[in-house]
Amino acid sequence: MPYPRLELFIAPARTRSEWLRSLAGLILIGGIYWGAVMGALALLYRFGGPIVFAAVVMAMERGGTPGGLVLVMLSFLPLALGVMLVTRFLHRRPIASLFGTGAFGDFLKVFPTLLGLVALVAASSALDPSLGKSTPLPVLLKWLPIALPLLFIQIASEELLFRGYFLQQMAARLRHPLAWMVLPAALFGALHYAPEKNGPTAIIFVLWAMLFGCLSADLTARAGNLGPSLAFHFANNISALFLVGLYGQLDGLSLYTLVINTRDIGAMAPYLALDALAIVVFWLAARLRLRR
C-alpha cells in the first residue's frame, strides 16, 4: 500500500534512528512518565495524608466521578512531556517534527466530520433502551471546559508516543508496515490488557486497541502528519468517555452507561464488534476527507 507522504513525516528521525537509541528513548519515556506519576502520588501522601491519598487513588482507579476522571486524564501530561524531552534531547530534533507538516490543517479538515458522527452516536444512544442514563447533561456541560482540554492532552500524549515517536523511529529503519504500523499498535494494545478487570475478555480489548492503532497509523502515514490521527482519537474518546461509557470503567462523565459484565465474553463480544465497526466507519470518513 503506497504512502507517498510517509517519507516526509519520518525524514527528521532518520539521522538518529539507531535501534539502541530508540529503545533507550522508549525506556526513558516510560521512566519519566512513571517517575512523575509516582512522585506526585508520594507528595500527595506526604502532604495530604493516608486518607486523602487513598481517596484520590480510588477515584483514579475507577474514574467513576468527574473529579476522578479528570485526574486520570491529567496523569497523561507527563507522558507527553516525556516524549517531547526524549525527542528534543536524545534525538536532537524539533518537537514539532513529531506532529509533521500540516498537522493542524489536516486536523481541522477531518475533525468536524468525525464530530458529526459522534453526534449521531449521541442521538442513537438517547433512543437505546438498553443504556442507562448516568451523568446529567448540566453536570457534563459544567465539567467540559476542564475535561475537554485534558482529554485532548490524554489522546495527544498517546498519539505523540505511538503514531509520532515510535512510528517514526521504526519507519526510519524499516519501511514495511509490520514494523511501523503493527508493532506500535501491538504495544498500544498490550497496554490496554487488564485481566483483573475484564478477565478472559481482556484479550478482546487488546485486539480492539490494536485495530485502532493500525487505523490511526494508516491515517498518519497517508497524511504525513498526526493531524487526522489526533482527530480520529479525539472523536473516539469523546464518544467513549462523554457519551456512552462502560459502567465502572472511566464513566465519571458519561451521559449514558452500558451496564454489562465485562468478564463475560458472550455478552461483550457483540458490543465490542459494534464498537469496532464504529471506529472503522470513523476511519473511512477520515480517509474520505483526506482525499479532498
Side-chain angles (χ1 to χ4, degrees):
M1 187 181 299
Y3 293 102
R5 297 177 183 172
L6 178 60
E7 179 58 38
L8 181 64
F9 184 56
I10 66 175
R14 285 200 178 280
T15 55
R16 292 180 176 86
S17 60
E18 305 91 339
W19 293 117
L20 286 179
R21 188 187 295 265
S22 299
L23 178 60
L26 289 173
I27 294 172
L28 280 171
I29 291 167
I32 291 170
Y33 172 67
W34 284 110
V37 172
M38 292 300 106
L41 289 175
L43 289 174
L44 178 65
Y45 187 88
R46 173 68 177 81
F47 294 104
I51 296 178
V52 173
F53 174 82
V56 169
V57 170
M58 186 177 298
M60 292 182 65
E61 183 178 2
R62 184 179 179 277
T65 64
L69 183 62
V70 161
L71 287 174
V72 170
M73 293 187 290
L74 181 62
S75 71
F76 281 81
L77 181 58
L79 181 61
L81 293 176
V83 177
M84 293 178 183
L85 288 172
V86 165
T87 300
R88 183 68 187 89
F89 294 106
L90 181 63
H91 296 277
R92 300 178 189 176
R93 59 185 174 98
I95 291 171
S97 66
L98 289 166
F99 293 90
T101 304
F104 183 67
D106 281 344
F107 177 89
L108 293 180
K109 181 186 292 185
V110 170
F111 186 66
T113 299
L114 299 185
L115 196 59
L117 292 176
V118 169
L120 289 177
V121 171
S124 61
S125 300
L127 301 175
D128 189 344
S130 67
L131 297 177
K133 290 186 177 180
S134 183
T135 304
L137 181 59
V139 174
L140 175 59
L141 294 177
K142 177 184 175 180
W143 279 88
L144 271 186
I146 299 172
L148 204 59
L150 289 179
L151 178 61
F152 188 81
I153 288 174
Q154 180 258 312
I155 66 98
S157 66
E158 293 184 343
E159 291 305 312
L160 285 171
L161 173 57
F162 293 102
R163 266 66 70 178
Y165 177 81
F166 200 179
L167 186 153
Q168 287 175 322
Q169 294 303 122
M170 294 302 299
R173 302 290 296 183
L174 297 170
R175 290 299 300 271
H176 198 285
L178 282 176
W180 57 261
M181 178 184 288
V182 177
L183 187 58
L187 179 58
F188 182 68
L191 293 176
H192 286 75
Y193 185 61
E196 70 285 353
K197 288 183 179 180
N198 302 316
T201 313
I203 190 63
I204 302 181
F205 283 88
V206 170
L207 295 174
W208 181 96
M210 284 185 63
L211 171 64
F212 186 92
C214 288
L215 297 181
S216 293
D218 171 80
L219 292 175
T220 300
R222 194 162 296 278
N225 61 63
L226 279 187
S229 185
L230 286 166
F232 180 55
H233 203 156
F234 197 31
N236 176 79
N237 282 27
I238 286 174
S239 178
L241 296 183
F242 297 156
L243 296 181
V244 183
L246 281 174
Y247 179 76
Q249 297 194 22
L250 302 178
D251 60 341
L253 283 172
S254 299
L255 284 175
Y256 301 91
T257 54
L258 180 66
V259 181
I260 191 171
N261 180 9
T262 60
R263 304 174 71 89
D264 184 344
I265 293 180
M268 284 300 299
Y271 169 77
L272 288 174
L274 185 61
D275 206 30
L277 177 61
I279 65 167
V280 169
V281 171
F282 276 43
W283 166 70
L284 287 172
R287 292 224 3 219
L288 287 173
R289 287 297 298 150
L290 289 176
R291 290 182 179 179
R292 297 182 181 180

mmCIF file of all heavy atoms in Angstrom, residues 243-260:
data_model
loop_
_atom_site.group_PDB
_atom_site.id
_atom_site.type_symbol
_atom_site.label_atom_id
_atom_site.label_comp_id
_atom_site.label_asym_id
_atom_site.label_seq_id
_atom_site.Cartn_x
_atom_site.Cartn_y
_atom_site.Cartn_z
ATOM 1 N N LEU A 243 -20.109 10.263 26.125
ATOM 2 C CA LEU A 243 -21.431 9.862 25.640
ATOM 3 C C LEU A 243 -21.840 8.507 26.202
ATOM 4 O O LEU A 243 -22.724 8.417 27.041
ATOM 5 C CB LEU A 243 -21.458 9.853 24.112
ATOM 6 C CG LEU A 243 -21.247 11.208 23.439
ATOM 7 C CD1 LEU A 243 -21.327 11.077 21.929
ATOM 8 C CD2 LEU A 243 -22.260 12.226 23.935
ATOM 9 N N VAL A 244 -21.215 7.432 25.725
ATOM 10 C CA VAL A 244 -21.577 6.081 26.166
ATOM 11 C C VAL A 244 -20.344 5.403 26.741
ATOM 12 O O VAL A 244 -19.384 5.121 26.021
ATOM 13 C CB VAL A 244 -22.137 5.243 25.007
ATOM 14 C CG1 VAL A 244 -22.561 3.869 25.525
ATOM 15 C CG2 VAL A 244 -23.312 5.944 24.350
ATOM 16 N N GLY A 245 -20.373 5.160 28.052
ATOM 17 C CA GLY A 245 -19.259 4.503 28.713
ATOM 18 C C GLY A 245 -19.644 3.148 29.254
ATOM 19 O O GLY A 245 -20.817 2.786 29.314
ATOM 20 N N LEU A 246 -18.623 2.396 29.644
ATOM 21 C CA LEU A 246 -18.847 1.115 30.314
ATOM 22 C C LEU A 246 -18.970 1.376 31.806
ATOM 23 O O LEU A 246 -18.129 2.055 32.395
ATOM 24 C CB LEU A 246 -17.679 0.165 30.049
ATOM 25 C CG LEU A 246 -17.647 -0.550 28.701
ATOM 26 C CD1 LEU A 246 -16.349 -1.331 28.567
ATOM 27 C CD2 LEU A 246 -18.835 -1.490 28.574
ATOM 28 N N TYR A 247 -19.983 0.831 32.407
ATOM 29 C CA TYR A 247 -20.205 1.051 33.835
ATOM 30 C C TYR A 247 -18.993 0.571 34.640
ATOM 31 O O TYR A 247 -18.528 -0.554 34.485
ATOM 32 C CB TYR A 247 -21.453 0.311 34.304
ATOM 33 C CG TYR A 247 -21.724 0.490 35.782
ATOM 34 C CD1 TYR A 247 -22.263 1.675 36.265
ATOM 35 C CD2 TYR A 247 -21.410 -0.523 36.680
ATOM 36 C CE1 TYR A 247 -22.500 1.851 37.623
ATOM 37 C CE2 TYR A 247 -21.648 -0.361 38.047
ATOM 38 C CZ TYR A 247 -22.180 0.830 38.500
ATOM 39 O OH TYR A 247 -22.401 1.013 39.847
ATOM 40 N N GLY A 248 -18.485 1.482 35.476
ATOM 41 C CA GLY A 248 -17.361 1.142 36.340
ATOM 42 C C GLY A 248 -16.009 1.334 35.721
ATOM 43 O O GLY A 248 -14.993 1.092 36.377
ATOM 44 N N GLN A 249 -15.944 1.781 34.455
ATOM 45 C CA GLN A 249 -14.657 1.967 33.784
ATOM 46 C C GLN A 249 -14.611 3.341 33.125
ATOM 47 O O GLN A 249 -15.083 3.529 32.002
ATOM 48 C CB GLN A 249 -14.418 0.861 32.755
ATOM 49 C CG GLN A 249 -14.340 -0.532 33.373
ATOM 50 C CD GLN A 249 -13.777 -1.564 32.423
ATOM 51 O OE1 GLN A 249 -13.080 -1.253 31.459
ATOM 52 N NE2 GLN A 249 -14.075 -2.822 32.672
ATOM 53 N N LEU A 250 -14.084 4.313 33.864
ATOM 54 C CA LEU A 250 -13.906 5.685 33.360
ATOM 55 C C LEU A 250 -15.237 6.273 32.884
ATOM 56 O O LEU A 250 -15.303 6.914 31.836
ATOM 57 C CB LEU A 250 -12.876 5.705 32.222
ATOM 58 C CG LEU A 250 -11.484 5.158 32.555
ATOM 59 C CD1 LEU A 250 -10.594 5.198 31.315
ATOM 60 C CD2 LEU A 250 -10.837 5.918 33.688
ATOM 61 N N ASP A 251 -16.278 6.072 33.664
ATOM 62 C CA ASP A 251 -17.604 6.542 33.278
ATOM 63 C C ASP A 251 -18.047 7.768 34.080
ATOM 64 O O ASP A 251 -19.231 8.073 34.142
ATOM 65 C CB ASP A 251 -18.640 5.422 33.449
ATOM 66 C CG ASP A 251 -18.726 4.938 34.898
ATOM 67 O OD1 ASP A 251 -17.778 5.182 35.666
ATOM 68 O OD2 ASP A 251 -19.734 4.311 35.255
ATOM 69 N N GLY A 252 -17.096 8.487 34.668
ATOM 70 C CA GLY A 252 -17.434 9.600 35.544
ATOM 71 C C GLY A 252 -18.146 10.751 34.881
ATOM 72 O O GLY A 252 -18.817 11.546 35.553
ATOM 73 N N LEU A 253 -18.023 10.884 33.555
ATOM 74 C CA LEU A 253 -18.703 11.966 32.834
ATOM 75 C C LEU A 253 -19.529 11.428 31.670
ATOM 76 O O LEU A 253 -19.879 12.188 30.756
ATOM 77 C CB LEU A 253 -17.691 12.998 32.335
ATOM 78 C CG LEU A 253 -17.147 13.964 33.396
ATOM 79 C CD1 LEU A 253 -16.014 14.816 32.829
ATOM 80 C CD2 LEU A 253 -18.260 14.864 33.936
ATOM 81 N N SER A 254 -19.869 10.164 31.677
ATOM 82 C CA SER A 254 -20.647 9.581 30.578
ATOM 83 C C SER A 254 -22.122 9.924 30.724
ATOM 84 O O SER A 254 -22.709 9.717 31.786
ATOM 85 C CB SER A 254 -20.486 8.061 30.564
ATOM 86 O OG SER A 254 -19.142 7.686 30.379
ATOM 87 N N LEU A 255 -22.721 10.429 29.653
ATOM 88 C CA LEU A 255 -24.161 10.690 29.675
ATOM 89 C C LEU A 255 -24.948 9.395 29.834
ATOM 90 O O LEU A 255 -25.973 9.358 30.510
ATOM 91 C CB LEU A 255 -24.581 11.396 28.383
ATOM 92 C CG LEU A 255 -24.244 12.872 28.249
ATOM 93 C CD1 LEU A 255 -24.620 13.374 26.858
ATOM 94 C CD2 LEU A 255 -24.959 13.695 29.318
ATOM 95 N N TYR A 256 -24.462 8.335 29.194
ATOM 96 C CA TYR A 256 -25.102 7.030 29.272
ATOM 97 C C TYR A 256 -24.045 5.981 29.598
ATOM 98 O O TYR A 256 -22.867 6.136 29.256
ATOM 99 C CB TYR A 256 -25.784 6.659 27.945
ATOM 100 C CG TYR A 256 -26.839 7.641 27.506
ATOM 101 C CD1 TYR A 256 -26.510 8.709 26.682
ATOM 102 C CD2 TYR A 256 -28.163 7.507 27.916
ATOM 103 C CE1 TYR A 256 -27.474 9.622 26.281
ATOM 104 C CE2 TYR A 256 -29.130 8.415 27.531
ATOM 105 C CZ TYR A 256 -28.777 9.474 26.713
ATOM 106 O OH TYR A 256 -29.744 10.376 26.320
ATOM 107 N N THR A 257 -24.470 4.923 30.243
ATOM 108 C CA THR A 257 -23.556 3.818 30.533
ATOM 109 C C THR A 257 -24.178 2.495 30.114
ATOM 110 O O THR A 257 -25.396 2.317 30.186
ATOM 111 C CB THR A 257 -23.206 3.737 32.035
ATOM 112 O OG1 THR A 257 -24.405 3.671 32.804
ATOM 113 C CG2 THR A 257 -22.369 4.917 32.472
ATOM 114 N N LEU A 258 -23.316 1.615 29.689
ATOM 115 C CA LEU A 258 -23.711 0.254 29.370
ATOM 116 C C LEU A 258 -23.377 -0.612 30.577
ATOM 117 O O LEU A 258 -22.200 -0.800 30.912
ATOM 118 C CB LEU A 258 -22.965 -0.252 28.135
ATOM 119 C CG LEU A 258 -23.275 -1.680 27.685
ATOM 120 C CD1 LEU A 258 -24.709 -1.785 27.195
ATOM 121 C CD2 LEU A 258 -22.301 -2.116 26.597
ATOM 122 N N VAL A 259 -24.397 -1.093 31.242
ATOM 123 C CA VAL A 259 -24.201 -1.934 32.424
ATOM 124 C C VAL A 259 -24.091 -3.376 31.944
ATOM 125 O O VAL A 259 -25.083 -3.983 31.529
ATOM 126 C CB VAL A 259 -25.352 -1.771 33.434
ATOM 127 C CG1 VAL A 259 -25.106 -2.634 34.669
ATOM 128 C CG2 VAL A 259 -25.507 -0.312 33.829
ATOM 129 N N ILE A 260 -22.879 -3.898 31.997
ATOM 130 C CA ILE A 260 -22.628 -5.223 31.444
ATOM 131 C C ILE A 260 -21.449 -5.847 32.175
ATOM 132 O O ILE A 260 -20.565 -5.139 32.689
ATOM 133 C CB ILE A 260 -22.326 -5.110 29.921
ATOM 134 C CG1 ILE A 260 -22.335 -6.471 29.246
ATOM 135 C CG2 ILE A 260 -21.007 -4.406 29.685
ATOM 136 C CD1 ILE A 260 -22.262 -6.383 27.722
#
